Amino acid sequence: MCALGKLDPMTNAANTHWVLTLVCKDMPGIVHAISGAIVAANGNITESHQFASDDTGRFFMRLQIESAVPREHFEKQLAPVVERYQMDWVLDEVGRPMKTLLLVSKSAHCLNDILFRQRAGQLPVEIPAVFGNHGDLASMAEFYGVPFETHTISTDLSKAAGDKAAFEHMLRDYIKAAGIELIVLARYMQILSPEFCAEFAGKIINIHHSFLPGFKGANPYGQAHARGVKQIGATAHFVTEDLDEGPIIEQNVLRVTHNSSKAELVNIGQDVESKTLTQAIRWFAERRVLLDGHRTIIFS
Amino acid sequence: MCALGKLDPMTNAANTHWVLTLVCKDMPGIVHAISGAIVAANGNITESHQFASDDTGRFFMRLQIESAVPREHFEKQLAPVVERYQMDWVLDEVGRPMKTLLLVSKSAHCLNDILFRQRAGQLPVEIPAVFGNHGDLASMAEFYGVPFETHTISTDLSKAAGDKAAFEHMLRDYIKAAGIELIVLARYMQILSPEFCAEFAGKIINIHHSFLPGFKGANPYGQAHARGVKQIGATAHFVTEDLDEGPIIEQNVLRVTHNSSKAELVNIGQDVESKTLTQAIRWFAERRVLLDGHRTIIFS
Amino acid sequence: MCALGKLDPMTNAANTHWVLTLVCKDMPGIVHAISGAIVAANGNITESHQFASDDTGRFFMRLQIESAVPREHFEKQLAPVVERYQMDWVLDEVGRPMKTLLLVSKSAHCLNDILFRQRAGQLPVEIPAVFGNHGDLASMAEFYGVPFETHTISTDLSKAAGDKAAFEHMLRDYIKAAGIELIVLARYMQILSPEFCAEFAGKIINIHHSFLPGFKGANPYGQAHARGVKQIGATAHFVTEDLDEGPIIEQNVLRVTHNSSKAELVNIGQDVESKTLTQAIRWFAERRVLLDGHRTIIFS
Amino acid sequence: MCALGKLDPMTNAANTHWVLTLVCKDMPGIVHAISGAIVAANGNITESHQFASDDTGRFFMRLQIESAVPREHFEKQLAPVVERYQMDWVLDEVGRPMKTLLLVSKSAHCLNDILFRQRAGQLPVEIPAVFGNHGDLASMAEFYGVPFETHTISTDLSKAAGDKAAFEHMLRDYIKAAGIELIVLARYMQILSPEFCAEFAGKIINIHHSFLPGFKGANPYGQAHARGVKQIGATAHFVTEDLDEGPIIEQNVLRVTHNSSKAELVNIGQDVESKTLTQAIRWFAERRVLLDGHRTIIFS
């Protein structure tokens, strides 16, 4: 949309579509300053979201910008602004596939939904590998041409701790080597260590069934059935040391009746889980998920 | 639909539309036996629901039947069947307004929805009175021509217990005298005594906000806001001694975003509360809600 | 949030919360220019939405701004920007009740929802009058303290045209005299003249039942019932000369079954109609609805 | 649940779970008669739905029955009842996979959903083949171990008619030979001949996008985008000679905004299409879909 005449004469690159996220202390003048840098980079804003949090006093912004200047030039224009406002910021290309590692166990519903939509071009992620603590889903990964590795965690408790430590050690190395940006627990039934969760805080997404109202303890579908709930839900959230208490990214529900057996509740739960997890991944990969303390800001 | 020629010659009454609910131990032959009694009463089944509970081994049935025979004649046909299967049963007329007492405090959203729909002919209840522990909603009740009484519960703790006991005493008398069949806590913010709840078990419906996942303790909207929930829900349930843990009748949710202030969460919560409570009342008044232990069977 | 020290020394007014909407040809630099004017007015942006339409090449923006400067001062800062970009713009106060006239016939469901929510503080409108072509809803308006006038349109076709012309003549005068900003057809069953619709284009909101798929012609609920639709919907839209083909503001659906009689479909339709119309009014009154040719932009 | 002692002494077969559907003219006594036959076959009703249509005067019933008697014995008990009431009836085994043929073109979303859920045990169908008029989806069928055949229809209009005739000829033979019970057009973009549609009326399910309100003519997503619809829907229906006007089985919608490009509308449309088609197939395969003239009765 930018006429060619406006382009920086030093470059003849075609337009790039950038996504820019910014987080800083809320104060007047931020939008003016940042939009000034964008004008100076010959950029045209094509999408913009912002939010000022009353809870934390933080300001959040996500912009999509078309511009033909090279990255260094763009960053040079942004530098004084992000400096002045002490911004956390990321400049990325719109649509660049985010490197995503999937951890799975035996349940196929989330994996199928993610791989199918990735292949169908509806999910901007690149999936270099799927790791399972069981081998059951190897053939599904293979069909979609994604390498699968089985990393068994022994059910023998005396060996499990060692297996886990070794797995997490390998995982750290792999994440670094492969440049993984997002780790998705697609019904991965092992608990990651608090240290691992802390190290990759805000980078691990989990999916969890949820009910109205909540049920604590074991066998939640059994409890839900026993009390005759009418809605089955799922919550996609960031993993924190507190297991399933991390910041919520997305939630959905589906209606059930007294007629639904516990097995049917589980099936319906799987539908809502896969839909919810895939949505959370899409938003994360599009850099639409920002953290405001323990809450998420979703610029969808 | 019954041809006149089929009618019992002893009566020339027009057709009545009956609703019949039955609960008994599940065993073969129930439907045949009950449908035999209906045929003998010259009845035509216009609606039928049944459910056999794997959890409790109980059988549940709700029938609507057109028949021109008088009630005694119908009951005479049913008597040997309900005896043989030791059924809990109720025979009522379809559409007969159920006598319903509303208890309220200051929030108007549930009361408005109930009274408007009652007036609009969408809710088969008769409301002889609204009792409030505050007088705020008197004018709304008046507009709809429903008597309103204020029964204050002192905020002085030394007097509150006495006020409550007196209120519940009056309530018991009123319920008996007025033939109240259903008590609705339409955002009534006082806790009824365990004895009262036990005495009217299965006759008191309450509405309660609900979240995915649940939050325990005070200030739930604040907690929900703090964790950034994406769905706000409500649960209509029977009141039991365990406060908000009674059998669930209906649940709904509405979507919210990070942008919703706590005040907006409360507003959205009110919408879902009034819709959910009204639906629960409608089903109860139509005798579509049966109890299977701690679960409800909803024949909607 | 603006520190007092930043205030224009000529004023000691408390902060005002402004809403500013802008529409112009899309081009680079708009955001920078407008945010510059806001900085110059000591403003702090608290909410911001923007959208560039690929269809029409137009740029749309809605801002909420806290500022303590008086209106003239703010407008003075905006003047050169709106001039340069040839913007259509409106500067209003957040929460200022919009003057809204309701036209009704006999159906109460939409009127009740609007009046109740207005009274409950959930709908930022001021309703100086309700006009009905029947008197049925006078008592409901009265309860909420809103003047009601009956303006009958004769069912005698030879007189109807004259009645309508007289009504619209009176309406025009009233709208001017009372400063009406929004006209809501809350199930008003008379057709307004093309001239009237054209004169108040973008200022009249209607509610209309909608089905999946659509049904043309008379008796749509009958047609929907005959084909066994599973979803009943409603569309709130601006009124244009093409009757129900105007730009869509909001749509919702509710699920129905084969078991729903035509009368029940109508009841369910009323629920979805009132909910949808109220939402459309709220967005309009909050200046969240902008027109992009035949589409609406909803900054919700 | 039937004690063994109740079994017909001539058989020692384990219990079979039967599904029985019945359609006949509505009249009193049907339920009693049919339940009598079930008692005589030592059957226990585990699920029951019935509906009397005011539109057509027809009575519809679907029963699930546990019984240990062999099929011939059961049918012998039913014979006089179905004779007397001139019932259309089907007796099948619960969970027996229904032989289902899928026709596809290039779009993968419906095929993936069907094959994944069939494999996951959530869809009681057996899929002996997928036929495509393009070869694009062959590898997906292969992954799930389902034979795929390409049956090209020439784009050369002079040859297309012949190709179609030959394809439908082959199809008829295949359907007979393979015992196909259900044909699913899983985004099959060719039009079947009126003769073929008539021959297999009530056996072919199609999926079609749907909007609120409907749009006639070409490029519906373009039209929907142009008018700014807020809900995108899909309708699964039986195929009749009138193309997309056949009886509706299931409908769903998803919310969209002004921000959704036409491409995103199409993606969202695909989600709601696959979900809706799969649900329709499940209900059909479970014999929960009965036809009442141009409407469906869904016993879900």
Side-chain angles (χ1 to χ4, degrees):
Chain A
M1 221 166 283
C2 284
L4 276 181
K6 291 180 192 167
L7 288 183
D8 184 319
M10 299 182 329
T11 170
N12 57 5
N15 270 8
T16 302
H17 206 167
W18 301 97
V19 56
L20 174 65
T21 60
L22 307 162
V23 183
C24 63
K25 190 169 175 307
D26 187 25
M27 63 186 87
I30 300 173
V31 175
H32 187 56
I34 205 77
S35 58
I38 291 167
V39 169
N42 281 331
N44 191 26
I45 299 171
T46 60
E47 194 179 322
S48 171
H49 291 89
Q50 64 181 76
F51 178 69
S53 171
D54 284 342
D55 299 346
T56 60
R58 306 289 285 168
F59 175 83
F60 300 82
M61 194 166 201
R62 180 190 184 277
L63 294 148
Q64 290 190 193
I65 302 143
E66 280 186 337
S67 166
V69 304
R71 174 184 277 271
E72 316 83 66
H73 187 101
F74 201 161
E75 291 184 347
K76 206 173 127 192
Q77 300 297 337
L78 291 172
V81 179
V82 300
E83 175 91 0
R84 188 185 339 146
Y85 291 96
Q86 295 184 285
M87 289 170 166
D88 293 327
W89 64 288
V90 176
L91 181 67
D92 202 348
E93 288 181 37
V94 169
R96 182 185 67 80
M98 190 168 277
K99 286 210 173 177
T100 302
L101 175 67
L102 307 183
L103 303 192
V104 302
S105 292
K106 294 178 172 181
S107 289
H109 56 288
C110 287
L111 183 64
N112 176 67
D113 205 60
I114 295 166
L115 293 178
F116 174 74
R117 283 168 201 279
Q118 193 274 340
R119 166 82 74 87
Q122 293 171 23
L123 209 50
V125 294
E126 182 194 332
I127 303 169
V130 179
F131 293 168
N133 64 321
H134 295 277
D136 303 51
L137 301 179
S139 68
M140 176 170 278
E142 240 165 70
F143 169 64
Y144 285 101
V146 179
F148 184 96
E149 291 178 22
T150 308
H151 295 275
T152 308
I153 309 290
S154 176
T155 54
D156 179 344
L157 282 184
S158 68
K159 295 182 186 161
D163 285 354
K164 274 198 192 187
F167 175 60
E168 292 191 359
H169 189 82
M170 181 280 300
L171 215 49
R172 273 189 187 86
D173 290 347
Y174 178 82
I175 288 165
K176 241 172 258 176
I180 296 300
E181 300 165 277
L182 169 64
I183 302 147
V184 175
L185 310 188
R187 302 300 294 149
Y188 180 67
M189 303 310 284
Q190 294 288 328
I191 294 170
L192 297 167
S193 71
E195 294 74 30
F196 190 90
C197 295
E199 187 176 343
F200 297 98
K203 307 273 186 202
I204 314 175
I205 296 178
N206 189 27
I207 183 72
H208 200 271
H209 48 68
S210 298
F211 301 94
L212 286 171
F215 297 101
K216 301 286 180 191
N219 190 17
Y221 281 100
Q223 288 189 63
H225 179 78
R227 204 177 152 205
V229 300
K230 309 305 181 194
Q231 304 271 2
I232 291 283
T235 298
H237 62 93
F238 283 117
V239 173
T240 58
E241 300 169 55
D242 277 346
L243 283 178
D244 298 319
E245 304 291 325
I248 294 167
I249 302 170
E250 172 64 334
Q251 300 185 304
N252 285 291
V253 297
L254 285 175
R255 183 164 277 271
V256 298
T257 76
H258 65 268
N259 216 6
S260 312
S261 66
K262 203 188 129 186
E264 287 165 333
L265 294 192
V266 172
N267 277 352
I268 291 166
Q270 291 186 349
D271 274 8
V272 70
E273 280 172 10
S274 54
K275 171 187 169 189
T276 303
L277 179 57
T278 301
Q279 182 61 280
I281 296 171
R282 180 181 296 119
W283 283 336
F284 186 93
E286 295 176 351
R287 300 197 175 279
R288 295 182 184 279
V289 183
L290 299 176
L291 269 172
D292 179 31
H294 205 62
R295 307 172 65 210
T296 62
I297 310 303
I298 308 288
F299 284 142
S300 68
Chain B
M1 222 167 283
C2 284
L4 276 181
K6 290 179 192 168
L7 290 183
D8 185 319
M10 299 183 330
T11 170
N12 56 6
N15 271 8
T16 302
H17 207 166
W18 300 98
V19 56
L20 174 63
T21 59
L22 307 162
V23 184
C24 63
K25 190 170 176 304
D26 188 25
M27 63 187 86
I30 299 173
V31 175
H32 187 57
I34 205 77
S35 57
I38 291 166
V39 168
N42 281 330
N44 190 28
I45 300 171
T46 60
E47 194 179 321
S48 170
H49 291 90
Q50 64 181 76
F51 178 70
S53 170
D54 284 344
D55 299 347
T56 59
R58 307 288 286 167
F59 176 82
F60 300 83
M61 193 163 202
R62 180 189 184 279
L63 294 148
Q64 290 190 193
I65 302 143
E66 281 187 336
S67 167
V69 304
R71 173 183 278 270
E72 317 81 65
H73 187 101
F74 201 160
E75 291 184 348
K76 205 173 127 190
Q77 299 298 336
L78 290 171
V81 179
V82 300
E83 174 92 359
R84 189 185 337 144
Y85 291 96
Q86 296 183 284
M87 289 169 165
D88 294 327
W89 64 288
V90 175
L91 181 67
D92 202 349
E93 287 182 41
V94 169
R96 181 185 67 78
M98 190 169 276
K99 285 211 174 176
T100 301
L101 174 67
L102 307 182
L103 303 192
V104 302
S105 292
K106 294 179 173 179
S107 290
H109 56 289
C110 287
L111 182 65
N112 176 67
D113 206 60
I114 294 165
L115 293 178
F116 175 72
R117 284 167 202 280
Q118 194 275 341
R119 165 83 72 87
Q122 292 172 23
L123 208 50
V125 295
E126 181 194 332
I127 303 169
V130 178
F131 293 169
N133 63 322
H134 296 278
D136 303 50
L137 302 179
S139 68
M140 176 170 279
E142 240 164 71
F143 169 62
Y144 284 101
V146 179
F148 184 95
E149 293 178 20
T150 307
H151 295 275
T152 308
I153 309 290
S154 174
T155 53
D156 178 343
L157 283 183
S158 68
K159 296 181 186 162
D163 286 353
K164 274 198 194 188
F167 176 60
E168 292 191 0
H169 189 81
M170 180 280 300
L171 215 49
R172 273 187 188 88
D173 289 348
Y174 179 82
I175 289 165
K176 242 172 259 176
I180 296 299
E181 300 166 278
L182 169 64
I183 302 146
V184 175
L185 310 187
R187 302 300 294 149
Y188 181 66
M189 304 310 284
Q190 293 289 328
I191 295 171
L192 297 167
S193 71
E195 295 73 32
F196 190 92
C197 295
E199 187 176 342
F200 296 98
K203 307 275 187 201
I204 313 175
I205 297 179
N206 189 26
I207 182 71
H208 201 272
H209 49 68
S210 299
F211 302 95
L212 286 171
F215 298 100
K216 301 285 180 191
N219 190 15
Y221 281 101
Q223 288 189 64
H225 179 77
R227 204 177 152 204
V229 300
K230 310 305 182 193
Q231 305 270 1
I232 291 283
T235 297
H237 62 93
F238 283 119
V239 173
T240 59
E241 300 168 57
D242 280 346
L243 282 178
D244 299 317
E245 304 291 325
I248 294 168
I249 301 169
E250 173 63 334
Q251 299 185 303
N252 285 292
V253 297
L254 285 176
R255 181 164 279 271
V256 297
T257 74
H258 64 269
N259 216 5
S260 313
S261 66
K262 203 189 128 187
E264 286 166 333
L265 294 192
V266 172
N267 277 352
I268 292 167
Q270 291 186 348
D271 273 7
V272 70
E273 280 172 11
S274 56
K275 171 187 171 189
T276 303
L277 179 58
T278 301
Q279 182 61 279
I281 295 171
R282 181 182 294 119
W283 283 336
F284 186 92
E286 295 176 351
R287 300 196 173 280
R288 296 182 182 278
V289 183
L290 299 176
L291 270 171
D292 180 30
H294 204 62
R295 306 173 65 212
T296 61
I297 310 303
I298 308 289
F299 284 142
S300 68
Chain C
M1 222 166 286
C2 283
L4 276 180
K6 289 180 192 167
L7 289 183
D8 186 318
M10 298 182 334
T11 170
N12 56 4
N15 271 8
T16 302
H17 206 167
W18 300 97
V19 55
L20 173 65
T21 60
L22 308 162
V23 184
C24 63
K25 191 170 175 305
D26 188 24
M27 63 186 85
I30 299 171
V31 175
H32 187 57
I34 205 76
S35 57
I38 291 166
V39 167
N42 280 331
N44 191 27
I45 300 171
T46 59
E47 194 179 322
S48 170
H49 291 90
Q50 65 181 75
F51 178 69
S53 170
D54 284 344
D55 299 347
T56 60
R58 306 289 285 168
F59 175 83
F60 301 83
M61 194 164 201
R62 180 189 183 280
L63 293 148
Q64 290 189 193
I65 302 143
E66 281 186 335
S67 167
V69 304
R71 174 183 277 271
E72 316 83 67
H73 187 101
F74 201 160
E75 291 184 348
K76 205 173 129 191
Q77 300 297 338
L78 291 171
V81 179
V82 300
E83 174 92 358
R84 188 184 340 144
Y85 291 97
Q86 296 184 286
M87 290 169 166
D88 293 328
W89 65 288
V90 175
L91 182 68
D92 202 349
E93 287 181 39
V94 169
R96 181 185 68 79
M98 190 169 275
K99 285 211 172 176
T100 301
L101 175 67
L102 306 183
L103 304 191
V104 302
S105 292
K106 293 179 173 180
S107 290
H109 56 289
C110 287
L111 182 64
N112 176 67
D113 206 60
I114 295 166
L115 293 179
F116 175 73
R117 283 168 202 280
Q118 194 274 340
R119 165 83 74 89
Q122 293 172 22
L123 210 50
V125 295
E126 180 194 334
I127 303 170
V130 178
F131 293 170
N133 64 322
H134 295 278
D136 303 51
L137 302 179
S139 68
M140 176 170 278
E142 238 164 71
F143 169 63
Y144 284 101
V146 179
F148 184 95
E149 292 179 20
T150 307
H151 294 275
T152 309
I153 309 290
S154 175
T155 54
D156 178 344
L157 283 183
S158 68
K159 295 183 186 162
D163 285 354
K164 273 197 194 189
F167 176 61
E168 292 191 359
H169 188 83
M170 180 280 300
L171 215 48
R172 273 187 188 88
D173 289 347
Y174 179 82
I175 289 166
K176 240 172 260 176
I180 296 298
E181 300 166 277
L182 170 64
I183 302 146
V184 174
L185 310 187
R187 300 302 292 152
Y188 181 66
M189 304 310 284
Q190 295 289 327
I191 294 170
L192 297 168
S193 71
E195 295 73 31
F196 190 91
C197 295
E199 187 176 342
F200 296 97
K203 308 273 188 203
I204 313 176
I205 296 178
N206 189 26
I207 182 73
H208 200 271
H209 48 69
S210 298
F211 301 95
L212 285 171
F215 297 101
K216 302 285 181 188
N219 190 16
Y221 281 100
Q223 288 188 63
H225 179 78
R227 206 179 152 204
V229 300
K230 310 303 182 196
Q231 304 272 1
I232 292 283
T235 297
H237 62 93
F238 283 119
V239 172
T240 59
E241 300 169 56
D242 279 346
L243 282 178
D244 298 318
E245 303 291 325
I248 294 167
I249 302 169
E250 173 62 335
Q251 300 185 302
N252 285 293
V253 297
L254 285 176
R255 182 163 278 269
V256 298
T257 76
H258 65 269
N259 216 6
S260 313
S261 66
K262 203 189 127 188
E264 287 166 332
L265 295 192
V266 172
N267 277 352
I268 292 166
Q270 291 185 349
D271 273 7
V272 70
E273 280 172 11
S274 55
K275 171 187 168 186
T276 303
L277 179 57
T278 301
Q279 182 61 280
I281 296 170
R282 181 181 294 119
W283 283 336
F284 186 92
E286 295 177 351
R287 300 197 174 279
R288 296 182 182 278
V289 183
L290 299 175
L291 270 171
D292 180 31
H294 204 60
R295 308 171 65 211
T296 60
I297 310 304
I298 308 288
F299 285 142
S300 67
Chain D
M1 222 167 285
C2 283
L4 276 180
K6 291 179 192 166
L7 289 183
D8 186 318
M10 298 181 332
T11 168
N12 57 5
N15 271 9
T16 302
H17 206 167
W18 300 98
V19 56
L20 174 64
T21 60
L22 307 162
V23 184
C24 63
K25 190 169 175 306
D26 188 24
M27 63 187 84
I30 300 173
V31 174
H32 188 58
I34 205 76
S35 58
I38 291 166
V39 168
N42 282 329
N44 190 25
I45 300 170
T46 59
E47 193 178 322
S48 171
H49 291 91
Q50 64 182 74
F51 179 70
S53 171
D54 284 342
D55 299 346
T56 61
R58 306 287 286 169
F59 176 83
F60 300 83
M61 194 165 201
R62 180 188 184 279
L63 294 149
Q64 290 190 192
I65 302 143
E66 280 186 337
S67 167
V69 304
R71 173 184 278 271
E72 316 83 66
H73 188 100
F74 200 160
E75 292 184 347
K76 206 173 127 191
Q77 301 296 338
L78 291 171
V81 179
V82 299
E83 174 91 0
R84 188 185 340 145
Y85 291 96
Q86 297 184 284
M87 289 170 166
D88 293 327
W89 64 289
V90 175
L91 182 67
D92 202 349
E93 288 181 38
V94 169
R96 181 186 66 80
M98 190 167 278
K99 286 210 171 177
T100 302
L101 175 66
L102 305 183
L103 303 191
V104 301
S105 292
K106 293 177 171 181
S107 290
H109 56 289
C110 286
L111 182 64
N112 176 67
D113 206 60
I114 296 166
L115 293 178
F116 174 74
R117 283 167 202 279
Q118 194 275 340
R119 166 83 74 86
Q122 293 173 21
L123 209 50
V125 295
E126 180 193 335
I127 303 169
V130 179
F131 293 169
N133 64 322
H134 296 278
D136 304 50
L137 302 180
S139 68
M140 175 170 278
E142 240 164 68
F143 169 64
Y144 284 101
V146 179
F148 184 95
E149 292 179 20
T150 308
H151 295 276
T152 308
I153 309 290
S154 175
T155 54
D156 177 344
L157 282 183
S158 69
K159 293 181 186 163
D163 285 355
K164 274 197 193 188
F167 175 60
E168 292 191 358
H169 189 83
M170 182 280 299
L171 214 50
R172 274 188 186 87
D173 289 348
Y174 178 83
I175 289 164
K176 241 172 258 176
I180 296 299
E181 300 166 276
L182 169 64
I183 302 147
V184 175
L185 310 188
R187 301 299 293 151
Y188 181 66
M189 303 309 284
Q190 295 287 329
I191 294 170
L192 297 168
S193 71
E195 295 74 30
F196 189 92
C197 294
E199 188 176 342
F200 296 97
K203 307 272 186 203
I204 314 176
I205 296 178
N206 189 26
I207 183 72
H208 200 271
H209 48 69
S210 298
F211 302 95
L212 284 172
F215 297 101
K216 301 286 179 189
N219 190 17
Y221 281 101
Q223 288 188 63
H225 179 77
R227 204 178 152 205
V229 300
K230 310 303 181 196
Q231 304 271 1
I232 291 284
T235 298
H237 62 94
F238 283 118
V239 173
T240 59
E241 301 168 56
D242 278 346
L243 284 177
D244 298 318
E245 304 291 325
I248 294 167
I249 303 169
E250 172 64 333
Q251 300 185 303
N252 285 293
V253 297
L254 285 176
R255 183 163 277 270
V256 297
T257 75
H258 65 268
N259 215 7
S260 312
S261 66
K262 204 189 129 188
E264 286 166 332
L265 295 191
V266 171
N267 276 352
I268 291 166
Q270 290 186 351
D271 273 8
V272 70
E273 280 173 11
S274 54
K275 172 188 169 187
T276 303
L277 179 57
T278 301
Q279 182 62 279
I281 296 170
R282 180 180 296 121
W283 282 337
F284 186 93
E286 294 175 353
R287 299 196 175 281
R288 296 182 183 278
V289 183
L290 298 176
L291 269 171
D292 179 31
H294 204 63
R295 306 172 66 211
T296 61
I297 310 304
I298 309 289
F299 284 142
S300 66

